[in-house]
Coordinates of all heavy atoms in Angstrom, one line a residue:
Chain A
A16 N 34.6 -3.6 25.2 CA 33.9 -4.9 25.3 C 33.5 -5.1 26.7 O 32.4 -5.6 26.9 CB 34.9 -6.0 24.8
L17 N 34.3 -4.8 27.7 CA 33.9 -5.1 29.1 C 32.8 -4.2 29.5 O 31.9 -4.6 30.3 CB 35.1 -5.0 30.0 CG 36.2 -6.0 29.7 CD1 37.3 -5.9 30.7 CD2 35.6 -7.4 29.8
A20 N 29.9 -5.8 28.4 CA 29.7 -7.1 29.1 C 29.2 -6.9 30.5 O 28.3 -7.6 31.0 CB 31.1 -7.8 29.2
Q50 N 61.2 -13.6 38.2 CA 62.2 -13.8 37.1 C 62.8 -15.1 37.4 O 63.2 -15.9 36.5 CB 63.3 -12.7 37.1 CG 62.7 -11.3 37.4 CD 62.2 -10.8 36.1 OE1 62.0 -11.5 35.1 NE2 62.0 -9.5 36.0
N51 N 63.1 -15.4 38.6 CA 63.6 -16.7 39.1 C 63.1 -16.8 40.6 O 62.4 -15.9 41.1 CB 65.1 -16.9 38.9 CG 65.9 -15.9 39.8 OD1 65.7 -15.8 40.9 ND2 66.8 -15.3 39.1
S133 N 75.5 -10.9 45.0 CA 74.0 -10.7 45.4 C 73.4 -9.6 44.6 O 74.0 -8.6 44.4 CB 74.0 -10.3 46.8 OG 72.8 -9.7 47.2
K134 N 72.2 -9.8 44.1 CA 71.5 -8.8 43.4 C 70.3 -8.2 44.2 O 69.5 -7.5 43.7 CB 70.9 -9.4 42.1 CG 72.0 -9.8 41.1 CD 71.5 -10.2 39.8 CE 72.6 -10.8 38.9 NZ 73.0 -12.1 39.4
S135 N 70.4 -8.5 45.5 CA 69.4 -8.0 46.4 C 69.3 -6.5 46.4 O 70.3 -5.8 46.5 CB 69.6 -8.5 47.8 OG 68.7 -7.8 48.7
A136 N 68.1 -5.9 46.2 CA 67.9 -4.5 46.2 C 68.2 -3.9 47.6 O 68.4 -2.7 47.8 CB 66.6 -4.1 45.7
S139 N 72.3 -2.6 49.7 CA 72.9 -1.4 50.2 C 72.3 -0.8 51.4 O 72.9 0.1 52.0 CB 72.7 -0.4 49.0 OG 71.4 -0.3 48.6
Q184 N 67.4 -21.0 42.3 CA 66.8 -20.2 41.3 C 65.6 -20.9 40.7 O 64.7 -20.3 40.1 CB 67.8 -19.8 40.3 CG 68.7 -18.8 40.9 CD 69.9 -18.5 40.0 OE1 70.2 -19.2 39.0 NE2 70.7 -17.5 40.4
D196 N 54.9 -26.5 44.5 CA 54.6 -27.7 43.8 C 55.0 -27.7 42.4 O 55.3 -28.7 41.8 CB 53.0 -27.9 44.0 CG 52.6 -29.2 43.4 OD1 53.3 -30.2 43.7 OD2 51.6 -29.3 42.7
R200 N 56.5 -21.7 33.7 CA 57.0 -20.3 33.5 C 56.1 -19.6 32.4 O 55.7 -20.2 31.5 CB 58.5 -20.3 33.0 CG 59.3 -20.9 34.1 CD 60.8 -20.7 33.8 NE 61.0 -19.2 33.8 CZ 62.1 -18.7 33.2 NH1 63.0 -19.5 32.7 NH2 62.3 -17.4 33.3
G201 N 55.9 -18.3 32.7 CA 55.0 -17.6 31.8 C 53.5 -17.8 32.1 O 52.7 -17.3 31.4
S202 N 53.2 -18.6 33.1 CA 51.8 -18.9 33.3 C 51.4 -19.0 34.8 O 50.6 -18.2 35.2 CB 51.6 -20.2 32.6 OG 50.3 -20.7 32.9
S203 N 52.0 -19.9 35.6 CA 51.5 -20.0 36.9 C 52.5 -20.6 37.9 O 53.5 -21.2 37.4 CB 50.3 -20.9 36.9 OG 50.6 -22.2 36.4
L238 N 36.7 -11.9 36.2 CA 35.3 -11.8 35.8 C 34.7 -13.2 35.5 O 33.6 -13.4 35.6 CB 35.1 -10.9 34.6 CG 35.2 -9.4 34.8 CD1 35.2 -8.6 33.5 CD2 34.0 -9.0 35.6
D391 N 65.1 0.7 30.6 CA 66.6 0.4 30.6 C 67.4 1.7 30.3 O 68.4 1.9 31.0 CB 66.7 -0.6 29.4 CG 68.1 -1.0 29.2 OD1 68.7 -1.6 30.0 OD2 68.7 -0.5 28.1
Y394 N 67.6 3.8 33.4 CA 68.5 3.2 34.4 C 69.9 3.7 34.1 O 70.7 4.1 34.9 CB 68.4 1.7 34.4 CG 68.9 1.1 35.7 CD1 68.1 1.1 36.8 CD2 70.2 0.6 35.8 CE1 68.6 0.6 38.0 CE2 70.7 0.0 37.0 CZ 69.9 0.0 38.1 OH 70.3 -0.5 39.3
T395 N 70.3 3.6 32.8 CA 71.6 4.0 32.4 C 71.8 5.6 32.4 O 72.8 6.1 33.0 CB 71.9 3.5 30.9 OG1 71.7 2.2 30.9 CG2 73.4 3.8 30.6
Y398 N 69.7 7.1 36.2 CA 70.2 6.5 37.5 C 71.7 6.4 37.6 O 72.3 6.8 38.6 CB 69.5 5.2 37.7 CG 69.8 4.6 39.1 CD1 69.2 5.1 40.2 CD2 70.8 3.6 39.3 CE1 69.5 4.6 41.5 CE2 71.1 3.1 40.5 CZ 70.4 3.6 41.6 OH 70.7 3.1 42.9
Q399 N 72.3 5.9 36.6 CA 73.8 5.7 36.7 C 74.6 6.9 36.2 O 75.5 7.3 37.0 CB 74.2 4.5 35.8 CG 73.8 3.2 36.4 CD 74.1 2.0 35.5 OE1 74.3 2.1 34.3 NE2 74.0 0.8 36.0
Chain B
G32 N 71.3 0.0 25.2 CA 70.9 -0.5 26.5 C 71.8 -1.5 27.0 O 72.6 -2.2 26.3
D33 N 71.8 -1.7 28.3 CA 72.7 -2.6 29.0 C 71.9 -3.8 29.7 O 71.0 -3.5 30.5 CB 73.4 -1.8 30.0 CG 74.5 -2.7 30.8 OD1 74.4 -3.9 30.6 OD2 75.4 -2.1 31.4
N36 N 71.2 -3.9 33.5 CA 70.2 -3.1 34.1 C 68.9 -3.9 34.5 O 68.3 -3.6 35.5 CB 69.8 -2.0 33.2 CG 70.9 -1.0 33.0 OD1 71.9 -1.0 33.7 ND2 70.7 -0.1 32.0
S40 N 67.8 -3.2 40.5 CA 66.7 -2.2 40.7 C 67.3 -1.0 41.3 O 68.5 -0.9 41.7 CB 65.6 -2.7 41.5 OG 66.1 -3.4 42.6
G42 N 68.7 1.4 43.7 CA 69.3 1.1 45.0 C 70.6 0.2 44.8 O 71.4 0.1 45.7
A43 N 70.8 -0.2 43.6 CA 71.9 -1.1 43.3 C 73.2 -0.2 43.3 O 73.2 0.9 42.8 CB 71.8 -1.7 41.9
Q47 N 77.6 -3.7 42.2 CA 76.6 -4.8 41.8 C 76.4 -4.8 40.3 O 76.3 -5.9 39.8 CB 75.3 -4.5 42.5 CG 75.2 -5.0 44.0 CD 73.9 -4.7 44.7 OE1 73.6 -3.5 44.9 NE2 73.2 -5.7 45.1
V48 N 76.5 -3.6 39.7 CA 76.3 -3.5 38.2 C 77.4 -4.3 37.6 O 77.3 -5.1 36.6 CB 76.2 -2.1 37.7 CG1 76.1 -2.0 36.2 CG2 75.0 -1.4 38.4
Q54 N 79.0 -11.5 35.4 CA 78.3 -12.8 35.5 C 77.6 -13.2 34.2 O 77.7 -14.4 33.8 CB 77.3 -12.7 36.6 CG 76.6 -14.1 37.0 CD 75.2 -13.8 37.6 OE1 75.0 -12.9 38.3 NE2 74.4 -14.8 37.4
V82 N 68.6 -13.1 32.9 CA 67.7 -12.5 34.0 C 67.4 -13.6 35.0 O 67.6 -13.4 36.2 CB 66.4 -12.0 33.5 CG1 65.5 -11.6 34.5 CG2 66.7 -10.9 32.5
S83 N 67.1 -14.8 34.6 CA 66.7 -15.9 35.5 C 67.8 -16.8 35.9 O 67.7 -17.5 36.9 CB 65.5 -16.7 35.0 OG 66.0 -17.5 33.9
S84 N 68.9 -16.8 35.2 CA 70.0 -17.7 35.3 C 69.6 -19.1 35.1 O 70.2 -20.1 35.6 CB 70.7 -17.6 36.7 OG 70.9 -16.3 37.0
E90 N 63.0 -24.2 28.8 CA 61.9 -23.3 28.7 C 61.3 -23.2 27.3 O 60.1 -23.2 27.2 CB 62.2 -21.9 29.3 CG 61.0 -21.1 29.5 CD 61.2 -19.6 29.9 OE1 62.3 -19.3 30.3 OE2 60.2 -18.9 29.9
R94 N 57.5 -24.3 26.2 CA 56.6 -23.2 25.6 C 56.2 -23.7 24.2 O 55.1 -23.4 23.7 CB 57.3 -21.9 25.5 CG 57.3 -21.2 26.9 CD 58.1 -20.0 27.0 NE 58.1 -19.4 28.2 CZ 57.2 -18.4 28.6 NH1 56.4 -17.9 27.7 NH2 57.3 -17.8 29.8
F145 N 44.0 -10.1 16.8 CA 43.7 -9.8 18.2 C 42.3 -9.3 18.5 O 41.7 -9.6 19.5 CB 44.8 -8.8 18.8 CG 44.5 -7.4 18.5 CD1 43.7 -6.6 19.2 CD2 45.2 -6.8 17.4 CE1 43.5 -5.3 18.9 CE2 44.9 -5.5 17.1 CZ 44.1 -4.7 17.9
L149 N 39.6 -10.9 21.0 CA 38.9 -10.2 22.1 C 37.4 -10.4 22.0 O 36.7 -10.5 22.9 CB 39.3 -8.7 22.1 CG 40.7 -8.4 22.4 CD1 41.0 -6.9 22.2 CD2 40.9 -8.7 23.9
W153 N 34.9 -12.1 24.6 CA 33.7 -11.4 25.1 C 32.5 -12.3 25.0 O 31.7 -12.4 26.0 CB 33.6 -10.1 24.3 CG 32.4 -9.2 24.7 CD1 32.2 -8.8 26.0 CD2 31.4 -8.8 23.9 NE1 31.1 -8.1 26.0 CE2 30.5 -8.0 24.8 CE3 31.1 -9.0 22.6 CZ2 29.3 -7.4 24.3 CZ3 29.9 -8.3 22.1 CH2 29.0 -7.6 23.0
L157 N 33.1 -14.2 28.6 CA 32.5 -13.2 29.5 C 31.0 -13.4 29.5 O 30.3 -13.2 30.5 CB 32.9 -11.8 29.2 CG 34.4 -11.5 29.4 CD1 34.7 -10.1 29.0 CD2 34.8 -11.8 30.8
R160 N 30.1 -17.9 29.1 CA 30.9 -18.6 30.1 C 31.0 -20.1 29.8 O 30.9 -20.9 30.7 CB 30.2 -18.4 31.5 CG 30.2 -16.9 31.8 CD 29.7 -16.7 33.2 NE 29.8 -15.3 33.5 CZ 30.7 -14.9 34.4 NH1 31.4 -15.7 35.1 NH2 30.8 -13.5 34.6
F167 N 46.6 -20.8 30.9 CA 46.8 -22.2 30.6 C 46.9 -22.9 31.9 O 47.4 -22.4 32.9 CB 48.2 -22.3 29.8 CG 48.3 -23.5 29.0 CD1 47.5 -23.8 27.9 CD2 49.3 -24.5 29.3 CE1 47.6 -24.9 27.2 CE2 49.4 -25.7 28.6 CZ 48.6 -25.9 27.5
P169 N 47.8 -24.9 35.3 CA 49.1 -25.0 36.0 C 49.8 -26.3 35.7 O 51.1 -26.4 35.7 CB 48.7 -25.0 37.4 CG 47.4 -24.4 37.5 CD 46.7 -24.6 36.2
Y170 N 49.1 -27.4 35.4 CA 49.8 -28.7 35.2 C 49.8 -29.0 33.6 O 50.1 -30.2 33.3 CB 49.1 -29.8 36.0 CG 49.2 -29.6 37.4 CD1 48.1 -29.0 38.1 CD2 50.4 -29.8 38.1 CE1 48.1 -28.8 39.5 CE2 50.4 -29.6 39.5 CZ 49.3 -29.1 40.2 OH 49.4 -28.8 41.5
Q277 N 63.5 -7.3 28.5 CA 64.6 -7.4 29.6 C 66.0 -7.4 29.0 O 66.9 -7.7 29.7 CB 64.3 -8.7 30.5 CG 63.0 -8.6 31.2 CD 62.7 -9.8 31.9 OE1 63.2 -10.9 31.6 NE2 61.9 -9.7 33.0

Side-chain angles (χ1 to χ4, degrees):
Chain A
L17 293 183
Q50 316 281 14
N51 61 50
S133 159
K134 297 188 187 68
S135 170
S139 54
Q184 288 170 354
D196 187 43
R200 301 194 60 196
S202 176
S203 60
L238 283 171
D391 178 70
Y394 203 80
T395 307
Y398 185 73
Q399 287 176 346
Chain B
D33 184 345
N36 292 348
S40 50
Q47 277 178 298
V48 177
Q54 188 203 327
V82 177
S83 69
S84 313
E90 191 184 348
R94 285 170 179 266
F145 79 85
L149 291 172
W153 180 56
L157 295 179
R160 296 187 174 248
F167 202 66
Y170 299 99
Q277 298 175 335

